[in-house]
Amino acid sequence: MSIQKFAVGQAVRRVEDERFMTGTGQYVDDIRLPNTVHAAFVRSPFAHAKIGKIDTAAAKAMPGVLKVLTGKDVQKASLGPFPTVTAIDGLDENGVAVPDRFALTHDVARFVGDPVAMVIAETQAQAQAAAEAIEVDYKDMQPVVDLATVLDKKTKVIHPSIKSNRAYHFHKGDEAATDHAIASAAHVTTLTFVNNRVAPSAIEPRGSLGDYDAGKDQMILYVSGQAVHAQKGQMAAAIFKCPPEKVRVVMPDVGGGFGAKNFVYPENVMVMFAAKLLGRPVKWIASRTENFLAEIHGRDHLTTASLALDADGRFVALKVETKANMGAYLSSFGTIIPTSASWVSMGGNYTIPAISMTVDAVFTNTVPVDAYRGAGRPEAAYVIERLVDLAAHETGRDPVGLRRKNFIRDYPFKMALGMVIDCGDFEGTLDKALQAHDATAFDKRRKASARKGKLRGLGVSSYLEVVLGMPADFAEIRFDDDGGVTLMTGGTATGQGHETTYKQIIATELGIDPRKVRYVSGDTDKIATGGGHGGARSLMIVGSAVLNTSHEVVNKGKQAAAHVLEAAVQDIEFKAGKFSIAGTDRAIALLDLERQLRAMAGSLPEGVPDTLSSSQTFERKSFSYPNGAHVCEVEVDPETGMIDITGYTVVDDFGRIINPLIAGGQVMGGAVQGIGQAMLEGVEYDETGQLLTGSFMDYCIPRASDIPDFNLQFNQDAPTASNPLGVKGAGEAGATGAPPAVVNAVMDALNDYGIAHLDMPLTPIKVWTAIQHSQAKAAAE
């Protein structure tokens, strides 16, 4: 394999894909430990119900059943409640109200799917049959489902211990200055809208396998997960109340996560607990319906926002007030998604002198809500991008022109809420997207659609992202006895292509054939610390650690090569995998140098390393800001409400592009999820709290026929100095830019009907009904 063809900047196909495509990957359900038994869970069929007697006698007598556990067993074992983040800047004096949640609920079930009992049996079928034989005496209670009325005095409080359905009240910004600017503005656009609840729907459902090492007194969790070190720390400290070394978390190959697999879940805790009780491995694999019922959901906001403009069309203030649905309990990081993870990009790419942002996080009898791809930044982008389009239409301005008038142009730029954007080319990126889309010919295409009886619309979004997640991580490059190299990182992957990208960095910096590099991650016993992945952090944080470690290998290599080649350290050069004496043909390859150091072990002078193996950490000192422009063109059939995306162009500024093929794949995947949220996806509960969208028969994710060909380009004209790689992060950008672009396009198509806004998802029935209402209103007038 040519090193140059694998270098940074090359569109290298993912090396991981060979094992995935040939069936040699190892997912959690592929792990076969000796004497493994299987678990099934009894889940509440009620959204809100007191739990009375649980009759397990019939289940215990069934073939193959080994153990039945209920909430009483969890309480008897003194397993602690699940932890959540409570340190959030901007909370009022009440802080975060945290209701207890245990691995099995023992007193009150608070959402449909809340686990109340667990059966362990020799086979999965036996466990499931026994679970169905358990009888639970439920006393149905009034559920709380409606986000609009959740804080009304007449609404039932679902956690009496905290005496309110409010989890916390958050505020960021200068409210007085914002209100003053709005009061004196030439025009104010105000919109109340829903950011719809979505289900993450990774191709691999959640699953976990618990084991117990009696010799070490260590509980082991193999999990289809993401942040293994965070899960280990939370479970050891808060739930099992044991030293951290008594818990090991291992993450094999994972078929997608999108944030939802970052968290501590009841099933993960229970398979570990049961494995220790039985002395046998315990496996649980979610059915697709269980995934809908018990995996976290994303988004679910009810927001009223106002954008104020002066007479020249300059933005002067933005006010955002949100009710954020937390679901029945506070998930691991659910508290920060509508707050710390959202305010950082509130206001987007625009100069807005005054911003005020308020969040009331509330409890409802629904599945807990936490991070879903983008996790706060898509919500912020949707707020500003919808308001900008509405303000343009209300004031008779061109939406693109209004954006250009208000773009940030001078850097570094301190946003109204405090974040400092180091660099960007927002106008240039939008211009490139419009040119690539051939936007100037849109009117011609619109007229052609009209001749067919169709409505055509063009929508843009100019989104701003922020790379978040854990701020530091490490990498180790270890030279092995067999002549190969092992790369170990604290980051983890669920299909993003990290292994390929990190090997490209090593190939470029060290000249090592990627086929000689083994990649190890996702095992807390093998890797002491790590930040997992999330917030589009991996390349910026972990990739920079890999780069720094590569540089350390070179630095150590120069010391060693100087000794082996009998030269001064300052005369040693490194290039294309070889150390050489400057101005001579005397050289030694990096891997040959490692072999010589091993052969000379014990006889090396002081200051000469005995191995080139190295480890370095990178810690973020400042943020980076991925950004871009989406241009969406749609055709709407007014007779059916069907929407056809006829063209979709994206130009992204991700800083330096390490692998354009992988970066493009991230954009397309995220955009597909964003299109899904905008047009098709929406978790629905009825008034009793029953989940109406518990399968793919009812919850519609995009099919290939729903997705256009993407025209993807990159703008690398604004590099960032926030990290040594100069990258800005790509993982969440597509899901951030797509929803407002699609909605803006559809609203543009419906403009002649006087339809200013429709909430996502823009399903055919919703669009058709809006058109019918508009036509009826026009006829009545």
Side-chain angles (χ1 to χ4, degrees), residues 440-762:
T440 56
F442 170 70
D443 284 340
K444 181 179 179 180
R445 297 192 293 271
R446 172 175 266 174
K447 290 175 182 177
S449 293
R451 289 193 291 270
K452 300 185 296 180
K454 302 292 180 65
L455 310 170
R456 186 172 283 258
L458 184 73
V460 304
S461 72
S462 181
Y463 76 88
L464 179 70
E465 246 270 88
V466 186
V467 173
L468 296 178
M470 297 299 289
D473 223 312
F474 97 107
E476 179 179 350
I477 295 175
R478 181 182 300 168
F479 292 85
D480 300 322
D481 293 341
D482 62 1
V485 177
T486 296
L487 169 65
M488 306 177 75
T489 74
T492 53
T494 60
Q496 297 92 330
H498 295 167
E499 180 177 344
T500 300
T501 307
Y502 300 154
K503 287 182 178 181
Q504 285 183 263
I505 295 171
I506 290 175
T508 300
E509 297 298 322
L510 300 179
I512 297 176
D513 187 330
R515 291 173 296 190
K516 291 182 176 291
V517 180
R518 306 177 187 91
Y519 179 57
V520 175
S521 71
D523 187 331
T524 61
D525 265 18
K526 294 180 179 179
I527 301 168
T529 64
H533 77 264
R537 72 183 290 272
S538 295
L539 190 53
M540 175 181 173
I541 307 297
V542 183
S544 292
V546 174
L547 180 70
N548 288 349
T549 305
S550 298
H551 291 169
E552 179 65 14
V553 170
V554 173
N555 292 336
K556 293 173 73 173
K558 286 181 178 181
Q559 295 284 339
H563 173 71
V564 171
L565 297 176
E566 299 179 328
V569 172
Q570 58 267 29
D571 292 333
I572 298 297
E573 298 177 336
F574 181 75
K575 185 178 180 181
K578 290 185 178 181
F579 295 94
S580 62
I581 302 174
T584 75
D585 60 357
R586 294 186 61 201
I588 184 169
L590 185 150
L591 294 179
D592 290 337
L593 177 60
E594 173 68 24
R595 280 190 286 271
Q596 288 210 26
L597 292 175
R598 289 169 178 266
M600 294 186 288
S603 62
L604 292 168
E606 184 177 352
V608 177
D610 57 4
T611 178
L612 301 184
S613 295
S614 302
S615 176
Q616 288 288 301
T617 296
F618 174 78
E619 183 174 2
R620 179 183 66 215
K621 301 300 183 184
S622 61
F623 292 90
S624 72
Y625 296 84
N627 63 88
H630 287 225
V631 182
C632 177
E633 193 164 329
V634 301
E635 196 173 61
V636 179
D637 185 345
E639 298 298 320
T640 64
M642 290 293 295
I643 301 168
D644 179 25
I645 300 178
T646 60
Y648 204 105
T649 301
V650 184
V651 176
D652 287 303
D653 173 4
F654 295 151
R656 183 187 185 195
I657 301 298
I658 303 300
N659 185 320
L661 189 63
I662 288 177
Q666 286 294 298
V667 174
M668 283 190 283
V672 168
Q673 288 179 285
I675 290 169
Q677 181 180 7
M679 292 175 54
L680 302 166
E681 299 184 47
V683 173
E684 295 288 343
Y685 288 90
D686 69 12
E687 65 277 5
T688 69
Q690 290 296 320
L691 180 66
L692 302 179
T693 49
S695 76
F696 288 134
M697 293 294 290
D698 302 298
Y699 185 88
C700 184
I701 61 173
R703 275 66 168 173
S705 58
D706 299 312
I707 302 304
D709 290 331
F710 289 99
N711 180 5
L712 304 180
Q713 298 182 20
F714 300 108
N715 181 356
Q716 300 187 61
D717 294 342
T720 179
S722 63
N723 61 90
L725 281 172
V727 300
K728 296 184 181 180
E732 298 178 325
T736 303
V742 173
V743 175
N744 287 344
V746 175
M747 293 304 104
D748 184 51
L750 301 179
N751 186 56
D752 288 346
Y753 287 94
I755 301 170
H757 178 75
L758 294 174
D759 280 327
M760 302 183 289
L762 304 181

Side-chain angles (χ1 to χ4, degrees), residues 113-151:
D114 208 353
V116 300
M118 177 192 193
V119 176
I120 306 100
E122 295 287 353
T123 70
Q124 194 279 329
Q126 289 172 333
Q128 189 60 47
E132 293 173 3
I134 292 176
E135 295 184 1
V136 183
D137 181 15
Y138 295 103
K139 183 180 179 181
D140 195 11
M141 302 165 67
Q142 179 65 39
V144 177
V145 179
D146 182 24
L147 194 54
T149 61
V150 65
L151 294 178

Side-chain angles (χ1 to χ4, degrees), residues 244-278:
E245 65 270 15
K246 299 300 182 181
V247 174
R248 176 188 180 191
V249 181
V250 181
M251 175 184 149
D253 289 327
V254 176
F258 312 127
K261 295 178 180 177
N262 265 314
F263 317 120
V264 175
Y265 282 98
E267 299 87 357
N268 299 352
V269 171
M270 289 306 298
V271 295
M272 298 169 71
F273 178 56
K276 184 174 182 178
L277 287 178
L278 294 172

Side-chain angles (χ1 to χ4, degrees), residues 386-419:
R386 282 298 294 130
L387 286 175
V388 172
D389 253 40
L390 277 171
H393 288 300
E394 290 176 2
T395 60
R397 291 180 168 93
D398 171 45
V400 171
L402 186 59
R403 286 174 169 83
R404 286 199 179 103
K405 182 182 285 288
N406 289 280
F407 274 141
I408 296 165
R409 289 183 170 81
D410 299 319
Y411 304 93
F413 180 85
K414 187 173 183 179
M415 302 172 73
L417 295 183
M419 297 295 283

Side-chain angles (χ1 to χ4, degrees), residues 81-162:
F82 285 30
T84 190
V85 175
T86 58
I88 303 171
D89 182 37
L91 297 176
D92 68 9
E93 67 278 5
N94 296 311
V96 179
V98 183
D100 285 344
R101 184 190 189 186
F102 295 95
L104 294 176
T105 189
H106 65 286
D107 52 0
V108 177
R110 290 186 170 89
F111 67 94
V112 173
D114 208 353
V116 300
M118 177 192 193
V119 176
I120 306 100
E122 295 287 353
T123 70
Q124 194 279 329
Q126 289 172 333
Q128 189 60 47
E132 293 173 3
I134 292 176
E135 295 184 1
V136 183
D137 181 15
Y138 295 103
K139 183 180 179 181
D140 195 11
M141 302 165 67
Q142 179 65 39
V144 177
V145 179
D146 182 24
L147 194 54
T149 61
V150 65
L151 294 178
D152 290 358
K153 290 184 178 180
K154 64 181 181 181
T155 301
K156 186 176 181 62
V157 173
I158 69 173
H159 291 288
S161 62
I162 60 176

